[in-house]
Amino acid sequence: MTKVLVIGACGQLGFELTLALRKLHGSENVIASDIRKGQEELMNDSFEVLDAMNKMDIIHLVKKHNITQIYHLAAVLSAKGEKNPGFAWDLNMGSLSNVLEVAKEYQLDKIYWPSSIAVFGPNTPQNNTPQNCIMDPNTVYGITKQAGERWCEYYFNKYGVDVRSLRYPGLIGYKTMPGGGTTDYAVDIYYKALQERKFECFLSANTALPMMYMDDAVKATIDLMQADASNIKIHSSYNISAISFTPEQISTSIKKYIPDFEISYKPDFRQNIADSWPNSIDDSKARNDWGWYHQYDLDKMTEEILKGLKEMLSIEENQ
Ligand code: SER
């Protein structure tokens, strides 16, 4: 019997992943948790307030609900992390340590923990970045993800904890806003395109970054967690990719649907972060080991987001 605890369920990924997991395992078998209450759709079913910095509270929920799997999604992202690096280190590393210890002590079946393209740095090959290469992250977020990958692999090798992970590119969805990432412009741009017909971008026109539509990210996560353990060859974190584009290219894609849309550029401190990350990622290991493939290209994503967002915003306007 699978019983899942999602930590960070109210976040950008957590919200959509929790709903997908509830479809897969049944609502009563997926406990959503976050530091505070969030979206009503999550509150309708099992929800717990949880501070992942408190190991005893995680243990309490594992026992209370007979949890067999944890998806640990809570983290401070790249741009926000730079504002308070000490806190980002404590939260990202402390909560992961707690989850891995609980998995070891209570012999949980599986753990999911996301890594990121932020593990790469200025000396990493920027195009088609391989799984194994120089990794010299220079943001606190990237450093915690890099250390976290080593920590996950260590728990697998030393204690047999079945922890699985993906190095997500920028995730783009419209249902829940992201908080504090460098790739967040690619979410905000769709809101501004519909509401104001113009957008000022904090990255320069030709900054290419690896990105992925949320539906693909949810699919990748569930595919990885459903894969037979014998097919999982990497226990640090898998490179994973879908699309790569620049602010100029996403703006061209939006103009196909909103011809009078205008973009302007005013790079800030996030430009340096973006410049240290890859332009595109080689994810052949994920494709070979457990059959990963993506479904959304840039235009298909733009079409779906603009359609969904229009409906969502007009619903809000009518309320
Ligand atoms: N989307 C994240 C960020 O920008 C990268 O993993 O921080």
Side-chain angles (χ1 to χ4, degrees):
M1 181 75 180
T2 298
K3 272 265 184 166
V4 176
L5 173 66
V6 182
I7 300 177
C10 298
Q12 187 207 14
L13 170 66
F15 176 66
E16 299 203 36
L17 185 58
T18 301
L19 296 182
L21 287 169
R22 283 184 171 168
K23 254 191 208 145
L24 186 68
H25 298 296
S27 286
E28 66 288 1
N29 295 320
V30 179
I31 312 301
S33 75
D34 210 302
I35 189 100
R36 61 184 71 85
K37 289 184 175 178
Q39 302 87 333
E40 226 167 78
E41 268 166 285
L42 294 183
M43 301 300 123
N44 293 339
D45 290 297
S46 319
F47 183 89
E48 299 272 6
V49 171
L50 172 69
D51 179 357
M53 294 295 278
N54 190 331
K55 189 177 149 199
M56 292 315 293
D57 288 355
I58 303 176
I59 291 173
H60 169 73
L61 290 186
V62 164
K63 285 185 175 165
K64 179 177 168 191
H65 296 284
N66 296 314
I67 296 299
T68 62
Q69 300 185 4
I70 298 180
Y71 288 67
H72 173 34
L73 311 176
V76 177
L77 295 188
S78 61
K80 195 167 168 206
E82 294 311 295
K83 308 263 181 204
N84 192 346
F87 174 69
W89 173 267
D90 288 346
L91 177 79
N92 293 3
M93 295 313 297
S95 61
L96 174 61
S97 269
N98 285 344
V99 168
L100 290 174
E101 269 300 297
V102 171
K104 182 183 93 180
E105 285 170 27
Y106 290 84
Q107 297 179 343
L108 302 189
D109 291 344
K110 282 177 209 170
I111 300 297
Y112 180 77
W113 172 80
S115 184
S116 159
I117 53 165
V119 294
F120 300 114
N123 291 298
T124 298
Q126 281 208 314
N127 295 314
N128 226 12
T129 303
Q131 175 72 34
N132 296 309
C133 55
I134 294 180
M135 295 161 96
D136 54 349
N138 59 10
T139 60
V140 63
Y141 173 66
I143 293 168
T144 63
K145 289 297 180 186
Q146 164 73 310
E149 286 191 9
R150 307 317 315 147
W151 211 207
C152 287
E153 194 183 75
Y154 187 88
Y155 268 74
F156 172 75
N157 287 331
K158 189 138 181 156
Y159 307 117
V161 174
D162 184 356
V163 48
R164 304 180 183 193
S165 175
L166 300 171
R167 288 173 182 156
Y168 290 129
L171 300 186
I172 307 167
Y174 63 92
K175 294 182 185 154
T176 304
M177 291 304 273
T182 302
T183 55
D184 295 0
Y185 87 85
V187 174
D188 205 21
I189 195 170
Y190 288 110
Y191 277 82
K192 294 278 165 31
L194 282 173
Q195 290 171 324
E196 298 173 22
R197 298 284 190 268
K198 58 178 199 288
F199 176 68
E200 187 179 87
C201 187
F202 59 71
L203 297 182
S204 65
N206 294 319
T207 309
L209 286 171
M211 301 277 191
M212 183 180 283
Y213 184 49
M214 189 57 79
D215 287 30
D216 273 334
V218 167
K219 174 177 153 337
T221 311
I222 290 179
D223 285 357
L224 175 74
M225 288 298 273
Q226 299 277 81
D228 198 278
S230 61
N231 291 333
I232 307 296
K233 309 275 198 299
I234 293 171
H235 291 275
S236 51
S237 190
Y238 273 96
N239 272 12
I240 189 103
S241 87
I243 40 183
S244 242
F245 57 78
T246 63
E248 194 169 9
Q249 286 165 332
I250 191 174
S251 134
T252 305
S253 177
I254 290 172
K255 276 187 194 152
K256 289 180 190 166
Y257 304 90
I258 306 176
D260 59 343
F261 174 65
E262 280 173 27
I263 186 166
S264 57
Y265 302 95
K266 197 177 173 201
D268 65 15
F269 74 101
R270 288 168 282 195
Q271 183 67 46
N272 286 336
I273 299 178
D275 288 342
S276 76
W277 289 352
N279 301 328
S280 59
I281 299 284
D282 171 9
D283 64 353
S284 48
K285 289 200 188 299
R287 290 180 193 258
N288 292 335
D289 288 359
W290 44 275
W292 158 246
Y293 63 93
H294 68 279
Q295 293 177 312
Y296 285 83
D297 62 18
L298 176 55
D299 283 342
K300 190 173 167 196
M301 176 177 83
T302 296
E303 192 182 337
E304 188 153 316
I305 293 182
L306 289 176
K307 189 166 162 263
L309 199 50
K310 236 186 224 164
E311 275 166 27
M312 211 174 90
L313 294 174
S314 68
I315 289 167
E316 278 174 10
E317 275 161 25
N318 292 339
Q319 271 172 356

